[in-house]
Amino acid sequence: MDDYRVVADELAADIEAGRLRPGDRLPPQRRFARDRGIAGSTAARVYGELVRRGLAIGEVGRGTFVRAAKPGPEPALSEPGDARVDLELNFAVLPSQSAKLARALEPVLRADVFTDALHPLGAAGTKAVREAAVAMLARGSWTPDPESVLVAGNGRQGIAAALAAFVPTGERLAVESLTYPVVKAAATRLGIELVPIETDAHGLVPAALAASAPVRALYVQPTLHNPLGTTMPPQRRAELAETVRGLDLPVVEDGIYTFLRPDTEPLAALMPERTVFVDSLSKRVAPGLTAGFLVVPPQWVPRLASAIRSGGWTASRFSVEAARRWITGGVLAEVEAAKRADAGVRARIVAERLAGFQVYGDASAYHRWWVLPEQWRAETFVAAAARRGIALSPAAAFSVVPGHAPNAVRIAVSAPSEETLASALDVLAELASESPDDLLVDS
């Protein structure tokens, strides 16, 4: 049999019927070819076809494994899952915040104000909105010029607009080797090739970026990186700024989590002439109440405004007006402070419940990076956790290069109550201490 698709169909049927289970390791390609009486090149194409269909995942140095589940049509992390305990998505909505936010919006619901809020809004927003955005975004010595501020529907749209503005179709964008899944999806839709850049405990490695040239731009998360939860120290930021200037690159800085580290200035403070800083309300407030804000070097304001308009990424005037009132009335600052305190409490819960495991990340972050024990693979662990009603994100969701994901998971800790989070982590700690082979036998 020399048609690799026929062999792939047979294995797919075994997976569908449960004869091959999530986490099962497929035989080495050479042995598989010998057992099937096919050429080694055909065996390689069979395994490649299974990976292409989303039925298997290849891990360098480990082999090819049956995936936990066939991925859905939407990007990873795009929608909440059905699990009882969601440690997959970060959406911190504190019990006390809704009443405060609602009271601040009461004036907007007056007929005259509400009518104005229903009108369209351009990418430049309004003078009042830009000034409020500056008050929200300013950090240390960095205070943006209000004339450099643009608005978008949310942070994702702001990032997409920046990518569209700087990276033509078919060109290359440098990103951290583990990056925000939405950026992977946006790059695919825009026809942009992602170039993964090595990272270490301090973040993106400048020398690796220099070696990746030519690229058209850099997308980076220096503060509370998603998924690693790390914050780039000052010396690394200075080295990165020097490298970026030498390469003459525009930088898209994702600042979505910077409100949790108000003591840290953005990269934009080091190189304001070439950095587009993007932030939004989705984490500061809630995913359903958001607006995106971009701080753009003056020479690029027309280009970014055009990208926002042409992409259909302009903001809702009502959302932006709500944001302005939350900022100027001090309500947003209160919510941010409460979330910083909440993140600290959850950091202590994680440290207590997962003591002894390799769990990494800034204590200010709402997520942690868990390098799993040797006996577990990320896909198998995620599947086992799901059977216990807990949703996690495998490293593969963030890996730029398929099949090169580390053996780790991201834990998002903001959604469940403190009690539920502690209980879920206890379950995961017990699970991680067990053998996956024992669990398969028991089931």
Side-chain angles (χ1 to χ4, degrees):
M1 182 183 298
D2 57 3
D3 189 343
Y4 72 94
R5 286 182 293 268
V6 174
V7 182
D9 288 343
E10 293 174 3
L11 292 180
D14 288 340
I15 294 170
E16 182 69 25
R19 292 185 289 272
L20 286 173
R21 304 188 58 175
D24 283 355
R25 186 178 187 270
L26 298 179
Q29 290 181 17
R30 183 175 298 177
R31 194 176 84 200
F32 180 83
R34 185 176 63 247
D35 293 345
R36 291 275 180 156
I38 60 178
S41 59
T42 302
R45 296 183 73 184
V46 170
Y47 281 26
E49 177 67 10
L50 292 176
V51 171
R52 188 190 68 79
R53 296 184 191 182
L55 299 175
I57 183 168
E59 298 186 5
V60 176
R62 294 174 62 89
T64 302
F65 298 82
V66 178
R67 285 187 64 103
K70 185 176 180 179
E74 293 299 321
L77 312 185
S78 62
E79 298 292 342
D82 295 327
R84 292 188 299 276
V85 182
D86 191 346
L87 302 184
E88 181 182 14
L89 300 179
N90 263 328
F91 49 95
V93 179
L94 304 183
S96 61
Q97 73 178 53
S98 295
K100 295 178 181 179
L101 295 168
R103 283 195 297 272
L105 291 186
E106 288 175 0
V108 183
L109 299 181
R110 264 190 9 237
D112 57 334
V113 179
F114 187 67
T115 298
D116 185 62
L118 296 180
H119 291 166
L121 184 70
T126 65
K127 183 175 184 293
V129 164
R130 293 193 298 273
E131 290 175 347
V134 166
M136 179 184 78
L137 299 173
R139 290 282 182 276
S141 63
W142 183 66
T143 301
D145 180 352
E147 296 304 310
S148 70
V149 174
L150 298 175
V151 294
N154 53 45
R156 297 177 179 187
Q157 293 178 357
I159 292 168
L163 300 188
F166 293 123
V167 188
T169 299
E171 295 288 345
R172 292 159 35 105
L173 170 71
V175 298
E176 290 129 324
S177 56
L178 295 168
T179 193
Y180 181 31
V182 169
V183 169
K184 297 199 296 181
T188 297
R189 293 190 177 98
L190 294 169
I192 294 171
E193 178 186 353
L194 294 183
V195 179
I197 308 299
E198 177 190 354
T199 60
D200 60 19
H202 298 306
L204 186 143
V205 177
L209 174 63
S212 72
V215 294
R216 296 297 292 264
L218 168 66
Y219 165 84
V220 64
Q221 283 187 314
T223 302
L224 300 180
H225 178 272
N226 181 20
L228 299 178
T230 54
T231 294
M232 189 180 291
Q235 180 60 35
R236 176 61 60 85
R237 290 175 186 245
E239 293 169 0
L240 180 58
E242 182 179 356
T243 299
V244 165
R245 286 196 178 97
L247 295 172
D248 193 24
L249 289 180
V251 176
V252 180
E253 180 179 5
D254 188 341
I256 190 69
Y257 287 112
T258 54
F259 75 97
L260 293 171
R261 283 291 305 261
D263 58 323
T264 303
E265 291 187 351
L267 275 178
L270 289 177
M271 40 183 176
E273 78 286 356
R274 64 180 59 252
T275 304
V276 175
F277 181 84
V278 184
D279 201 345
S280 85
L281 298 184
S282 63
K283 305 302 182 186
R284 295 170 183 266
V285 181
L289 295 168
T290 190
F293 300 94
L294 298 83
V295 179
V296 183
Q299 73 274 18
W300 291 337
V301 167
R303 181 192 296 191
L304 266 294
S306 176
I308 291 171
R309 289 192 298 269
S310 62
W313 295 316
T314 52
S316 154
R317 183 182 285 264
F318 181 83
S319 294
V320 171
E321 178 60 22
R324 185 185 73 79
R325 290 176 181 268
W326 290 331
I327 296 167
T328 58
V331 175
L332 184 60
E334 292 180 24
V335 172
E336 290 175 359
K339 288 190 175 183
R340 287 191 287 271
D342 180 60
V345 170
R346 291 166 188 270
R348 290 190 288 275
I349 293 173
V350 174
E352 292 169 1
R353 304 298 171 139
L354 297 183
F357 293 103
Q358 296 183 65
V359 179
Y360 303 98
D362 192 313
S364 301
Y366 263 135
H367 54 275
R368 295 293 184 280
W369 187 246
W370 186 359
V371 178
L372 295 171
E374 182 62 28
Q375 73 269 24
W376 281 100
R377 290 191 319 102
E379 291 280 338
T380 309
F381 190 78
V382 168
R387 288 197 291 272
R388 287 155 178 76
I390 302 170
L392 298 170
S393 302
F398 307 92
S399 180
V400 175
V401 181
H404 286 69
N407 192 39
V409 296
R410 189 195 74 167
I411 311 169
V413 302
S414 66
S417 68
E418 294 171 19
E419 296 75 15
T420 300
L421 173 63
S423 297
L425 293 177
D426 285 342
V427 171
L428 293 178
E430 181 179 359
L431 182 63
S433 300
E434 296 174 342
S435 166
D437 293 334
D438 293 342
L439 295 175
L440 289 174
V441 171
D442 293 342
S443 62

